[in-house]
Amino acid sequence: MERLRSRITIGVVGPHDLVERVVHVGAGLPAAATMRLVSAPYAADSEAPDKLGKLVGKVDAVLFTGPLQYDLAMQAGEIDVPATYVPVSAAGLYSALLRGARHGLDPARISIDSVCEAEVAEAYDEIGVPTAGVHVCEHPRPGSVRGFIGFHERLHREGLTTAALTTLRTVATRLTTDGVPVLRMTPPVSTVRRAIDTAALLGAAGRARESQIAIALVSLAARPGHGGAGDYRQQELKLLLHRSLLVDARAMGAVVAAREENTYVVTTTAGALSRITDGFRVAPFVERVRADVGVDVEAGLGLGRSAREADANAAMALDRARAGEAAAYLVDGEGAVLPLPAARREPSDVVRRPPDSRAIRIRDQLVERLGADAASMVVDADTVAELLGVAPRSARRVLQGLVEEGLAWALPPVRSTHAGRPRRPYRLISG
């Protein structure tokens, strides 16, 4: 009994099939022995508040199977434990498109809900399919179900689409009844794993009375005349910001996720955040991003007894950073506001793992063989294949390995009018 009490308990709330999928994935995780997943499935979305009420006092965190379920629960009332959800990802879209192709679905004439337009555009760019005939309806609010059904039915009735892709079982069931060909997007295993890890992290932080949840919002500083979704340089900077944040996040056991156009949210504990800010004396991330990416960022740190409170405090702190003079601001659980100046050194508490020596040799070999072209330090799979004398597939594995070791950054794919895999450039990082 004591062994069970020591495990982090996570309530899984959502439709039966998705709850079963999350629990099954959780059982196969390396950390399965340290957590317990409690199923709370429902047949209709209206049952979510009741299922959630039965978990009160029994779980350390709640994991919803999607953003809609999370929003419905938030709309119904307060959640007294940290909560998160399995996000809708581009990986789920790839899987649905692949299944659709096996059934003769034309990916160039479909309607898609829940996935943001930027992710759809990126996914279609990756597979070399135009998006002129693809219609997207993002998830704007808890009452999206009826709107999604009308969105798909109208387009199909007008002959603009041949099928619909949806994340919601309710929508899929109704469209099938109305004669609209439909495929349901479900989260891939990798996305579910990350969501379970996030829920476990939030649950562990919430259980320890002396450990508050800490959330950091890190945003690219505004640049005059830039920032739109079509700004290639801004998209590149956003990608580089994400990779720079991951370095510190891994060292502190944090989770990094996209929040809005140019902002990322880092979820961790107050203790971990304290270690990389020298006891909340200096701003985290700012100097690392400046050194890695060459741009300034604004950071807002929030502490709280719940994820919602910490998130609200972080948003308040970010607003102060955007309007104030300090590199970052901290708002604690009592509402106190503290300015944090940028550090001129990396905190000594953070221990960084050196890159693998073999990866360093490969990076150095590529730089040497680039010769006069080494100034740009940008390569792609074809270039690496030629320089190392390997097949393009092997070259792509080499580049991925360099990214994982922190010796290269993956840049946005280069758009092309030709069919096939788009060219993906990488910037080598010199030592």
Side-chain angles (χ1 to χ4, degrees):
M1 185 65 175
E2 185 62 30
R3 180 171 175 267
L4 287 177
R5 290 180 61 188
S6 68
R7 296 158 70 186
I8 300 299
T9 304
I10 302 170
V12 184
V13 181
H16 286 267
D17 57 340
L18 293 183
V19 168
E20 183 179 347
R21 180 177 178 82
V22 170
V23 172
H24 175 72
V25 171
L29 292 177
T34 65
M35 68 178 74
R36 185 165 66 101
L37 301 183
V38 178
S39 300
Y42 57 72
D45 293 330
S46 58
E47 299 176 14
D50 180 60
K51 293 291 184 180
L52 188 62
K54 294 180 179 178
L55 294 176
V56 173
K58 300 178 182 178
V59 298
D60 299 302
V62 175
L63 175 59
F64 294 92
T65 58
L68 177 66
Q69 292 77 26
Y70 174 85
D71 284 348
L72 286 171
M74 287 297 185
Q75 189 182 57
E78 294 289 331
I79 298 176
D80 66 345
V81 294
T84 186
Y85 57 86
V86 180
V88 176
S89 67
L93 176 59
Y94 284 128
S95 176
L97 290 175
L98 181 59
R99 284 187 285 112
R102 296 179 60 186
H103 292 85
L105 179 148
D106 181 4
R109 295 184 62 220
I110 61 174
S111 53
I112 304 171
D113 68 46
S114 302
V115 185
C116 71
E117 289 194 26
E119 288 190 338
V120 172
E122 183 175 314
Y124 271 70
D125 188 52
E126 288 277 0
I127 62 177
V129 176
T131 59
V134 178
H135 305 266
V136 180
C137 184
E138 299 183 22
H139 164 64
R141 58 192 180 278
S144 298
V145 175
R146 184 175 299 177
F148 283 164
I149 293 173
F151 162 73
H152 292 297
E153 287 186 337
R154 177 182 59 80
L155 290 168
H156 188 262
R157 185 174 59 250
E158 295 175 359
L160 299 175
T161 60
T162 57
L165 264 64
T166 181
T167 61
L168 304 175
R169 183 176 59 179
T170 306
V171 174
T173 301
R174 173 64 180 275
L175 292 178
T176 300
T177 301
D178 294 346
V180 179
V182 60
L183 278 173
R184 187 171 168 213
M185 289 180 283
T186 55
V189 172
S190 59
T191 301
V192 174
R193 284 199 196 105
R194 287 194 293 271
I196 294 174
D197 287 341
T198 300
L201 174 64
L202 294 175
R207 174 185 285 189
R209 296 178 64 88
E210 70 281 3
S211 176
Q212 289 184 306
I213 294 172
I215 288 180
L217 296 177
V218 185
S219 178
L220 286 170
R223 295 190 301 149
H226 294 78
D231 185 342
Y232 179 90
R233 176 56 180 163
Q234 193 75 359
Q235 294 303 311
E236 178 184 359
L237 290 176
K238 183 179 177 182
L239 175 63
L240 299 181
L241 170 60
H242 184 213
R243 296 195 177 281
S244 184
L245 291 175
L246 284 175
V247 176
D248 281 331
R250 285 169 182 152
M252 60 196 287
V255 177
V256 181
R259 167 58 62 87
E260 52 190 37
E261 179 60 29
N262 294 312
T263 303
Y264 285 93
V265 55
V266 182
T267 305
T268 182
T269 63
L273 192 57
S274 175
R275 286 193 295 273
I276 71 162
T277 58
D278 195 17
F280 298 113
R281 292 185 178 89
V282 295
F285 314 121
V286 175
E287 280 306 305
R288 165 166 289 283
V289 173
R290 186 176 291 160
D292 288 351
V293 187
V295 297
D296 291 325
V297 293
E298 299 149 336
L301 315 182
L303 305 181
R305 289 160 301 209
S306 68
R308 174 180 286 187
E309 181 181 354
D311 190 71
N313 288 340
M316 188 186 309
L318 181 59
D319 287 341
R320 291 292 296 268
R322 286 169 172 165
E325 298 180 354
Y329 280 81
L330 166 71
V331 176
D332 66 15
E334 304 301 321
V337 180
L338 177 68
L340 303 177
R344 293 302 169 186
R345 57 179 177 82
E346 291 187 359
S348 58
D349 299 297
V350 179
V351 178
R352 313 224 180 266
R353 179 177 64 85
D356 179 77
S357 58
R358 180 176 179 274
I360 293 176
R361 288 197 301 271
I362 293 176
R363 188 275 314 276
D364 291 345
Q365 188 177 11
L366 288 172
V367 172
E368 181 182 355
R369 295 186 180 182
L370 279 171
D373 295 329
S376 68
M377 300 287 281
V378 175
V379 297
D380 59 15
D382 290 339
T383 303
V384 170
E386 181 179 352
L387 293 174
L388 299 181
V390 298
R393 178 177 298 180
S394 299
R396 283 191 287 272
R397 286 199 296 267
V398 167
L399 286 167
Q400 186 57 43
L402 293 178
V403 170
E404 292 172 357
E405 293 295 336
L407 298 173
W409 281 320
L411 302 177
V414 177
R415 297 182 179 274
S416 172
T417 57
H418 303 292
R421 182 192 297 269
R423 186 175 70 86
R424 167 81 73 171
Y426 293 77
R427 174 175 290 138
L428 301 177
I429 303 171
S430 59

